[in-house]
Amino acid sequence: QSSVQTYGLFDVSAGQFQNAGATKVRRLDSGNLSTSYLGFKGTEDLGGGLRANFALETFFLADTGGASRVPGVDVFWARNAWVGLSGDFGALKLGRAGPPLFVSTLIFNAFGDSFGYSPSIRQYYNAPYGTPLIGDSGWNNAITYSTPNVGGVSANLMMQLGEGAATAKGRNVGANVLYFGGPLALTGAWQQVKAQGVLGRGIAAFPGFQKQDAYQFGASYDFGVVKLFGQYGVIKTDAFTDVKVTNAHLSASVPIGNGAVLASYGHSKIDTAGVANDPVSKMLTVGYDHFLSKRTDVYAIYMNDKYTRLSTGNTFAVGIRHKF
Amino acid sequence: QSSVQTYGLFDVSAGQFQNAGATKVRRLDSGNLSTSYLGFKGTEDLGGGLRANFALETFFLADTGGASRVPGVDVFWARNAWVGLSGDFGALKLGRAGPPLFVSTLIFNAFGDSFGYSPSIRQYYNAPYGTPLIGDSGWNNAITYSTPNVGGVSANLMMQLGEGAATAKGRNVGANVLYFGGPLALTGAWQQVKAQGVLGRGIAAFPGFQKQDAYQFGASYDFGVVKLFGQYGVIKTDAFTDVKVTNAHLSASVPIGNGAVLASYGHSKIDTAGVANDPVSKMLTVGYDHFLSKRTDVYAIYMNDKYTRLSTGNTFAVGIRHKF
Amino acid sequence: QSSVQTYGLFDVSAGQFQNAGATKVRRLDSGNLSTSYLGFKGTEDLGGGLRANFALETFFLADTGGASRVPGVDVFWARNAWVGLSGDFGALKLGRAGPPLFVSTLIFNAFGDSFGYSPSIRQYYNAPYGTPLIGDSGWNNAITYSTPNVGGVSANLMMQLGEGAATAKGRNVGANVLYFGGPLALTGAWQQVKAQGVLGRGIAAFPGFQKQDAYQFGASYDFGVVKLFGQYGVIKTDAFTDVKVTNAHLSASVPIGNGAVLASYGHSKIDTAGVANDPVSKMLTVGYDHFLSKRTDVYAIYMNDKYTRLSTGNTFAVGIRHKF
């Protein structure tokens, strides 16, 4: 009678890690290629095409046994915690889920949702890299509506309620449009954030914060011998001192046997009002991902991390990823 | 070989929420009609009618992804964490479980264990509403014995060990008797609390606290076109300043198609020794609960919340509840 | 398609507990005979004898519903959080797991991994008993290699990376060799710890700490009517004031019907450099463990706990243990 499914992903890599301006550290790390998590989900057929669906997913640190992304700070069920209905009308989710801009960011680059190795994810979402994207890669208290797929086109609309909290200035809203047609895929995404997320860059980092608007365009084309990805996006933060970040990403995936050579380059310009010599973050990652099965792959990564006026960081890592 | 079952419940509602004396907040909320949780349970046949049983259940917040009822304060496995044996002699549970008075409270009102909408649960257990019930809806370190069902009558006895902690004055004990016979059901419940619970009103709120005794009687009768519920209970807190709370609840459930109209009224008088003009809490909730399936329902709720000398609160909410 | 298995163990005992020098407390306790836990594991056949494996296991407190061994201090997935590959070459694990010395300690005594009742586990791992073993019974950031079993002989090698943390002085390493041949089993284990564990005795307790070396030898022989176990080990802590602990353990298991009488004695001498009248810990535990099934047993325990210049502690407890 119970229809719950248990699933998840382990990702562990070992190597020498070094961000721009930082010292080298040899370590074992969790979740660099895909964030490790454990999930429970289910779907119930209600008849007439209507379904009830849910997902409850917790990140974990496979290296230390810690819960969530940052133990003691992050919420436990940070990856997904929503229930909803789906049918001919599309799908409705109530609860915590990933915003549309994040979904577009991960689909249109060769390293997916890799917080450790994807220049796209790092330059949009990973605070140490100077990016001011606020609001986390999961939004609380959210209502998400996804349209049906019509001729390859679908859209997602998400609203995070402000809930009247003292630290909230109002709602967050996000939306994207996705097109998949044969080898070609396209996306446009936008979000406006006014409320603090659980993790990620904090609003407090921007005195006089009013709101942050971000948009992004992405495209990919699969030539067979190589799949190319391109992304362009802008993040504008409205505060006492405005900050505008302009991101450009190019990446490629080249299938070889049971694996693929992956490469991705990201250029992120951080333009702070009234500041001369704005810094630029340049990130290049190349890797080889070898699939032992559909569910299990091993990989080797090199990442070069440059940031204006900081020493260059070099990361070498090998890892294993296992879906269950 | 493994016999563990994974199960649980999602409950999310959205609307305008307002307690007596409080401002209106529009928000998405988890667990108002039933507290959201994830559980693992199992039973093993040991032969001769004897069984080993266990339950391990964690509350979660489906709106924010937070663990437990109050992240960082509540224990993780707050709903149930016990192992035990059952057989002809009845059932024995060792560990954390719900006390008998709580079980009687939730069975004999139309809104069940709804911490968000049930006047019964709110006026007995939800501290903001002036009720002094101490000891949480789950008791730690407890030994629970349940009798077999004899002619529709069963009883539960629970003892929470004091464990010699500095904050513990001794044991908590609780008991109830339940009768189910055709359309009629009856209960009597009692508990005496000396030790602090994890959540709920704290002992520190009562300087010179000695003990708290509570009793409750409940009845329900199913006429077919309507099921009526009645509850009467008294909570006496023995401290420097004694407090006596007298609760009366009436509720009804009227089946309509695949759903039911629910209504419940609660009157709670808080009588503090030596204080004139004792406050009264009056709470009225009406709602419609529509079942999409046995496991999934959607609902609409209106709640009116009055408390002496405070402005009246009005709550309007719609929600979805999904068991898995 | 998903191959994840949910499993675990409940252990609850009730009684009067008293450590040497401490007052008596009557309480319900979790995890004294085996630490209660919930786990998720899986294995995937990759072909050619190669397998991908993982384990993700969280301790819990069955008496209070708390997560992990010490809520708020311990990591959530403290028992195991690793992914790896196994095959003809042996097995490789990446992540948090139990060190070889701990595995040898629990195999070669009659009370297994009992943190509550096993003199071996308590005198090596349980800090209140004066033992200076550092590094926890689970190691973070670890790479573990296990050899194939060759003629009954196998070995495990574990390295915990230092990861350049300010509190880490370098790597931890551990190894053991195990032999199982008919009624005879033998082990030798060693570890060197430089980095702080999550729980257990802290490095800060040893001013000027440099490193801690520990070794242990164990043997067991099953005569049929009785299985005997012996262990001898030394823990040397290199600090401003060196500490040397010498442990000797003897235990026996006598099968009776569907159960066994268990007895274990431990002698632990704590030799602190420059200190006269070094204390000795002497611990004796006897018990009867009755199996209701392969998965469920009930037990009665008496433990006598002596420590130089402290009053003697006496513990009487009965409990139930259920594997699922």
Side-chain angles (χ1 to χ4, degrees):
Chain A
Q1 182 222 3
S2 178
S3 65
V4 59
Q5 187 184 344
T6 305
Y7 59 100
L9 182 150
F10 266 87
D11 178 279
V12 178
S13 45
Q16 171 191 294
F17 296 83
Q18 184 186 30
N19 291 340
T23 56
K24 297 172 186 174
V25 180
R26 284 182 194 162
R27 65 171 193 258
L28 199 74
D29 232 15
S30 170
N32 279 331
L33 190 53
S34 294
T35 312
S36 302
Y37 74 96
L38 170 71
F40 304 91
K41 68 180 175 187
T43 185
E44 182 194 12
D45 189 343
L46 299 169
L50 195 65
R51 305 186 76 87
N53 311 293
F54 73 89
L56 188 64
E57 299 173 353
T58 177
F59 291 119
F60 65 87
L61 302 176
D63 53 343
T64 63
S68 73
R69 297 166 295 182
V70 182
V73 178
D74 200 7
V75 292
F76 191 83
W77 303 103
R79 195 176 196 269
N80 271 309
W82 57 260
V83 64
L85 298 169
S86 63
D88 295 341
F89 71 93
L92 190 69
K93 296 177 187 177
L94 303 175
R96 183 175 169 90
L101 180 67
F102 179 64
V103 174
S104 289
T105 305
L106 72 89
I107 294 177
F108 289 84
N109 85 89
F111 287 93
D113 63 345
S114 169
F115 273 79
Y117 305 129
S118 163
S120 296
I121 295 290
R122 289 171 79 83
Q123 289 177 326
Y124 279 96
Y125 282 94
N126 218 347
Y129 286 83
T131 173
L133 201 60
I134 288 170
D136 205 346
S137 55
W139 286 7
N140 286 354
N141 304 309
I143 301 173
T144 308
Y145 169 68
S146 302
T147 68
N149 186 318
V150 179
V153 177
S154 61
N156 299 283
L157 179 63
M158 190 169 191
M159 187 170 70
Q160 176 185 17
L161 302 182
E163 305 218 336
T167 54
K169 298 212 169 218
R171 313 167 192 174
N172 294 348
V173 285
N176 70 357
V177 178
L178 294 161
Y179 169 74
F180 295 95
L184 178 68
L186 298 169
T187 194
W190 167 82
Q191 72 180 30
Q192 182 178 82
V193 169
K194 293 182 175 176
Q196 180 68 57
V198 177
L199 288 188
R201 175 63 70 95
I203 282 179
F206 302 93
F209 177 84
Q210 292 298 321
K211 64 188 172 67
Q212 183 185 76
D213 285 271
Y215 65 84
Q216 184 191 91
F217 297 101
S220 68
Y221 197 93
D222 193 342
F223 292 94
V225 292
V226 57
K227 184 175 180 182
L228 294 180
F229 306 78
Q231 291 176 310
Y232 175 83
V234 172
I235 308 167
K236 295 170 79 169
T237 308
D238 181 0
F240 287 155
T241 302
D242 290 353
V243 179
K244 180 183 173 186
V245 173
T246 308
N247 287 339
H249 290 92
L250 278 174
S251 57
S253 170
V254 180
I256 295 180
N258 281 328
V261 170
L262 308 172
S264 187
Y265 177 75
H267 184 283
S268 180
K269 185 161 168 285
I270 297 101
D271 186 352
T272 305
V275 171
N277 301 319
D278 285 322
V280 172
S281 161
K282 296 176 188 178
M283 216 174 288
L284 173 70
T285 307
V286 293
Y288 176 64
D289 189 13
H290 181 74
F291 276 77
L292 299 171
S293 76
K294 279 191 179 182
R295 289 167 44 199
T296 305
D297 51 333
V298 292
Y299 55 87
I301 298 282
Y302 166 70
M303 183 168 67
N304 180 281
D305 185 19
K306 288 195 163 80
Y307 194 89
T308 305
R309 289 181 292 278
L310 295 180
S311 59
T312 299
N314 288 289
T315 291
F316 305 88
V318 294
I320 181 171
R321 179 170 57 176
H322 175 65
K323 300 186 185 91
F324 58 91
Chain B
Q1 181 221 1
S2 177
S3 66
V4 60
Q5 187 184 344
T6 304
Y7 59 100
L9 181 150
F10 266 86
D11 178 280
V12 177
S13 45
Q16 170 191 295
F17 296 84
Q18 184 187 29
N19 291 341
T23 55
K24 298 172 185 173
V25 180
R26 284 180 195 164
R27 66 171 192 258
L28 199 73
D29 233 15
S30 171
N32 280 331
L33 190 54
S34 293
T35 312
S36 303
Y37 75 97
L38 171 71
F40 305 91
K41 67 179 176 187
T43 184
E44 183 194 11
D45 188 345
L46 299 169
L50 196 64
R51 305 187 76 86
N53 311 293
F54 73 90
L56 188 64
E57 299 173 352
T58 177
F59 290 118
F60 65 88
L61 301 176
D63 53 344
T64 62
S68 73
R69 296 168 295 182
V70 182
V73 179
D74 200 7
V75 292
F76 191 83
W77 303 103
R79 196 176 196 270
N80 271 308
W82 56 261
V83 64
L85 297 170
S86 63
D88 294 341
F89 70 93
L92 191 69
K93 296 176 186 178
L94 303 175
R96 182 174 170 90
L101 180 68
F102 179 63
V103 175
S104 290
T105 305
L106 72 89
I107 293 177
F108 288 85
N109 84 92
F111 287 92
D113 63 346
S114 170
F115 274 78
Y117 305 128
S118 163
S120 295
I121 295 290
R122 289 171 79 82
Q123 289 176 326
Y124 278 98
Y125 282 94
N126 218 349
Y129 288 82
T131 172
L133 200 62
I134 289 169
D136 205 346
S137 55
W139 285 7
N140 285 353
N141 305 309
I143 301 173
T144 308
Y145 169 67
S146 301
T147 68
N149 185 317
V150 179
V153 177
S154 62
N156 300 282
L157 180 63
M158 190 170 192
M159 187 168 70
Q160 176 184 16
L161 303 183
E163 306 218 334
T167 55
K169 297 212 168 217
R171 310 166 194 175
N172 294 348
V173 285
N176 70 357
V177 178
L178 294 161
Y179 169 74
F180 294 95
L184 178 69
L186 298 169
T187 194
W190 166 82
Q191 71 179 28
Q192 182 178 83
V193 170
K194 292 183 176 175
Q196 180 68 57
V198 177
L199 288 188
R201 176 63 70 97
I203 282 178
F206 302 93
F209 177 84
Q210 293 297 322
K211 65 187 171 70
Q212 182 185 77
D213 285 88
Y215 64 84
Q216 184 192 93
F217 296 101
S220 68
Y221 197 93
D222 193 343
F223 292 93
V225 294
V226 57
K227 185 175 181 182
L228 294 180
F229 306 78
Q231 291 177 308
Y232 175 82
V234 172
I235 307 167
K236 295 170 80 169
T237 307
D238 179 1
F240 287 155
T241 302
D242 290 353
V243 180
K244 180 183 173 185
V245 172
T246 309
N247 286 339
H249 291 91
L250 279 173
S251 57
S253 170
V254 180
I256 296 181
N258 281 326
V261 171
L262 308 173
S264 188
Y265 177 75
H267 184 284
S268 181
K269 185 160 169 285
I270 297 101
D271 186 353
T272 305
V275 171
N277 302 318
D278 285 322
V280 172
S281 160
K282 297 176 187 177
M283 215 175 290
L284 172 72
T285 305
V286 293
Y288 176 65
D289 190 11
H290 180 75
F291 276 77
L292 298 172
S293 76
K294 278 192 180 182
R295 288 167 45 200
T296 305
D297 52 334
V298 291
Y299 56 87
I301 298 281
Y302 166 71
M303 183 168 67
N304 179 282
D305 185 20
K306 288 193 163 79
Y307 195 88
T308 306
R309 291 180 291 278
L310 296 180
S311 59
T312 300
N314 288 289
T315 291
F316 305 88
V318 295
I320 180 171
R321 179 170 57 176
H322 175 66
K323 301 187 185 90
F324 58 91
Chain C
Q1 181 220 3
S2 178
S3 65
V4 59
Q5 188 184 343
T6 304
Y7 59 100
L9 181 149
F10 266 86
D11 179 278
V12 177
S13 45
Q16 170 191 294
F17 296 84
Q18 184 187 31
N19 291 341
T23 55
K24 296 172 185 174
V25 180
R26 285 181 193 164
R27 65 171 193 259
L28 198 74
D29 232 15
S30 170
N32 279 331
L33 190 54
S34 293
T35 312
S36 302
Y37 75 96
L38 170 71
F40 305 91
K41 69 180 175 186
T43 184
E44 182 194 11
D45 188 344
L46 299 169
L50 195 64
R51 305 186 76 86
N53 311 293
F54 73 90
L56 188 64
E57 299 173 353
T58 178
F59 291 118
F60 65 87
L61 302 176
D63 52 345
T64 62
S68 73
R69 296 167 295 183
V70 182
V73 178
D74 199 7
V75 293
F76 191 83
W77 303 103
R79 195 175 196 268
N80 271 308
W82 57 260
V83 63
L85 297 169
S86 63
D88 294 340
F89 70 93
L92 191 68
K93 296 178 187 178
L94 303 175
R96 183 175 170 90
L101 180 67
F102 179 64
V103 175
S104 289
T105 305
L106 72 89
I107 294 177
F108 289 84
N109 85 91
F111 287 92
D113 63 346
S114 169
F115 273 79
Y117 305 128
S118 163
S120 295
I121 295 290
R122 290 171 79 83
Q123 289 176 326
Y124 278 98
Y125 282 94
N126 219 348
Y129 287 82
T131 172
L133 200 61
I134 289 170
D136 205 346
S137 55
W139 285 7
N140 285 354
N141 305 309
I143 300 172
T144 309
Y145 169 66
S146 301
T147 69
N149 185 317
V150 179
V153 177
S154 62
N156 300 283
L157 180 63
M158 190 170 192
M159 186 169 71
Q160 176 184 18
L161 302 182
E163 304 218 334
T167 54
K169 297 209 170 218
R171 312 168 192 173
N172 294 348
V173 285
N176 70 356
V177 178
L178 294 160
Y179 169 74
F180 294 95
L184 178 68
L186 298 168
T187 193
W190 167 83
Q191 71 180 30
Q192 182 178 83
V193 170
K194 293 182 176 176
Q196 179 68 57
V198 177
L199 288 188
R201 176 62 71 97
I203 282 179
F206 302 94
F209 177 83
Q210 293 299 319
K211 65 186 170 68
Q212 182 185 76
D213 285 270
Y215 65 84
Q216 185 191 91
F217 297 102
S220 67
Y221 198 92
D222 193 342
F223 291 94
V225 293
V226 57
K227 184 176 181 181
L228 295 179
F229 306 79
Q231 291 177 309
Y232 175 82
V234 172
I235 307 167
K236 295 171 78 168
T237 307
D238 180 0
F240 287 155
T241 303
D242 291 353
V243 180
K244 182 184 173 185
V245 173
T246 309
N247 286 339
H249 290 90
L250 278 174
S251 57
S253 169
V254 181
I256 295 180
N258 280 328
V261 170
L262 309 173
S264 187
Y265 176 76
H267 184 284
S268 181
K269 185 161 168 285
I270 297 101
D271 185 354
T272 303
V275 171
N277 300 319
D278 286 321
V280 172
S281 160
K282 296 176 187 177
M283 215 174 289
L284 172 71
T285 307
V286 294
Y288 175 65
D289 189 11
H290 181 75
F291 277 76
L292 299 172
S293 75
K294 278 192 179 180
R295 289 167 44 199
T296 305
D297 52 333
V298 291
Y299 55 88
I301 299 281
Y302 166 71
M303 183 167 67
N304 181 282
D305 185 19
K306 288 194 163 80
Y307 195 87
T308 305
R309 291 179 290 278
L310 295 180
S311 59
T312 298
N314 288 290
T315 291
F316 304 88
V318 295
I320 180 171
R321 180 169 57 174
H322 175 66
K323 300 187 185 90
F324 59 89

